[in-house]
Amino acid sequence: MEWPDEVSEVNMKPPKRLRIVPSAAETALEGQEKRQGAVDVSIIMPVYNASCWLDECLQAILDQDFTGTMELSVFDDASTDDSRKVVETWRERLEGRDISLVFSGHNSDQPRGVGYAKNKAVAQSCGKYLCFQDADDIMLPQRVRLQYEASVLHSSSLIGCKVRRLPEGSTQRYTRWINTITQDQLLTYIHPMDRQSSCRLGSAQETGSQLLDGSARRARETIWNLRVGFLQERVISQWESFTIWNAGKQGRKLYRCLNATNQKKVKAFCDVDKNKIKKGFYTYEDSKERPKPKIPVLHYKDASPPFIICVKLDMTAGVLEENLNSLQMKEGIDFFHFN
């Protein structure tokens, strides 16, 4: 701080002023801002009826070789088993390892969903970096250290890891997919998750999770609409026109869910199904436009990029992947997956 060369007596003794007392909300916000960044890493763990997995999960957190400061932020989403009791039995061991435990939950009749629980765990945490952990997963000992080091060195990057499935061989398609994602694909499939964007995205996810309590169908539609919105904002807005790869149910649904501007950008559907191609066009019967929009249906070899791929990966015995490879296109530029 720099001081003036001369300080008068008046300046040293300013007149009395009214003292303004901050509101409770302002005080809480200030306290939260001071807390954030108090530890290096907050492990964020939503819990719901996970007592049978918690001992292995918490032991793995205890075994981390990370030497920085850590906390474990747990929010229990109205578990009906003894999950809370199990977590509490680990408090002393965690704190003995200098891992502070922040633990809360609610006792409603119904769970409010993983998005809600994750948001609560994030809100009560104070770490500079957030490490998301499922209660039924086990960390390898070096996970936090390696991901923290990568985050510090590459602050604008998305940090993830490969996984092993227990028992071996379960969910083979998903495991193969998640373990072979390239860096370019991370930008296509995964949202950035720093502290602020995590809270914003979590709020969107929470909406869908809350709906799961009343209607799984409404929840799926909510998640679908969120994904379509993201696709339109981040991808389609950059294109003048594009082709939807799949003239079937999912491709047509995507077309109908686009806004009017982006529907006009769809120059064609493409497929390998001869019956769909033979029809020649898809007519959008529910459109208020007259005449109703008619979108050509082409064989994929006759269509032109960029493509939105609406076919699930690893579900066609490699045929889709072979077709894509034959066109020698680059993912993230010539095509995006939406499946």
Side-chain angles (χ1 to χ4, degrees), residues 14 19 77 88 127 200 245 250 280 283 291 326:
R19 180 172 178 266
D77 191 19
E88 281 295 346
R200 291 196 300 271
W245 189 310
Q250 290 298 307
T283 303
S326 71

Side-chain angles (χ1 to χ4, degrees), residues 64-228:
Q64 291 300 299
D65 62 10
F66 179 60
T67 57
T69 54
M70 279 193 297
E71 72 171 0
L72 173 61
S73 179
V74 178
F75 187 87
D76 181 77
D77 191 19
S79 292
T80 56
D81 64 2
D82 61 346
S83 289
R84 295 192 186 192
K85 181 179 178 181
V86 173
V87 172
E88 281 295 346
T89 63
W90 282 83
R91 182 182 292 276
E92 185 174 346
R93 279 172 283 182
L94 289 166
E95 293 179 349
R97 169 69 169 74
D98 292 327
I99 302 173
S100 57
L101 174 63
V102 184
F103 186 26
S104 64
H106 71 96
N107 295 310
S108 303
D109 293 337
Q110 295 291 331
R112 298 177 183 174
V114 66
Y116 174 87
K118 188 177 293 184
N119 286 346
K120 291 293 186 180
V122 169
Q124 69 189 16
S125 69
C126 66
K128 182 178 180 182
Y129 293 94
L130 305 179
C131 175
F132 292 92
Q133 172 73 6
D134 290 341
D136 60 347
D137 287 348
I138 303 170
M139 293 186 183
L140 292 178
Q142 64 272 30
R143 179 200 172 184
V144 172
R145 173 177 56 83
L146 292 176
Q147 291 188 333
Y148 177 82
E149 291 172 354
S151 297
V152 171
L153 290 174
H154 308 283
S155 59
S156 61
S157 297
L158 303 174
I159 308 300
C161 61
K162 292 186 176 182
V163 302
R164 299 176 187 171
R165 297 295 291 181
L166 298 175
E168 293 288 342
S170 58
T171 61
Q172 291 184 4
R173 186 172 66 87
Y174 174 76
T175 304
R176 183 162 54 249
W177 172 77
I178 197 172
N179 283 336
T180 56
I181 291 178
T182 65
Q183 291 186 2
D184 289 339
Q185 287 174 320
L186 281 173
L187 296 175
T188 306
Y189 295 125
I190 300 174
H191 300 283
M193 292 292 276
D194 59 17
R195 171 174 285 278
Q196 291 183 341
S197 64
S198 166
C199 293
R200 291 196 300 271
L201 282 171
S203 297
Q205 294 167 343
E206 178 181 325
T207 303
S209 298
Q210 286 177 318
L211 289 173
L212 281 172
D213 298 335
S215 170
R217 182 186 61 79
R218 289 171 56 204
R220 288 193 294 269
E221 287 304 305
T222 298
I223 295 170
W224 168 275
N225 291 333
L226 290 170
R227 294 176 60 235
V228 172

Side-chain angles (χ1 to χ4, degrees), residues 177 189 224 227 250 309-313 320 337-339:
W177 172 77
Y189 295 125
W224 168 275
R227 294 176 60 235
Q250 290 298 307
I309 311 293
C310 289
V311 182
K312 289 185 179 180
L313 294 173
L320 171 64
H337 284 283
F338 185 81
N339 50 53

Side-chain angles (χ1 to χ4, degrees), residues 243 267-272 277 280 296-304:
T243 300
K267 56 187 175 183
F269 289 90
C270 72
D271 213 293
V272 295
I277 297 168
V297 178
L298 309 173
H299 190 276
Y300 78 91
K301 290 184 178 179
D302 298 322
S304 56

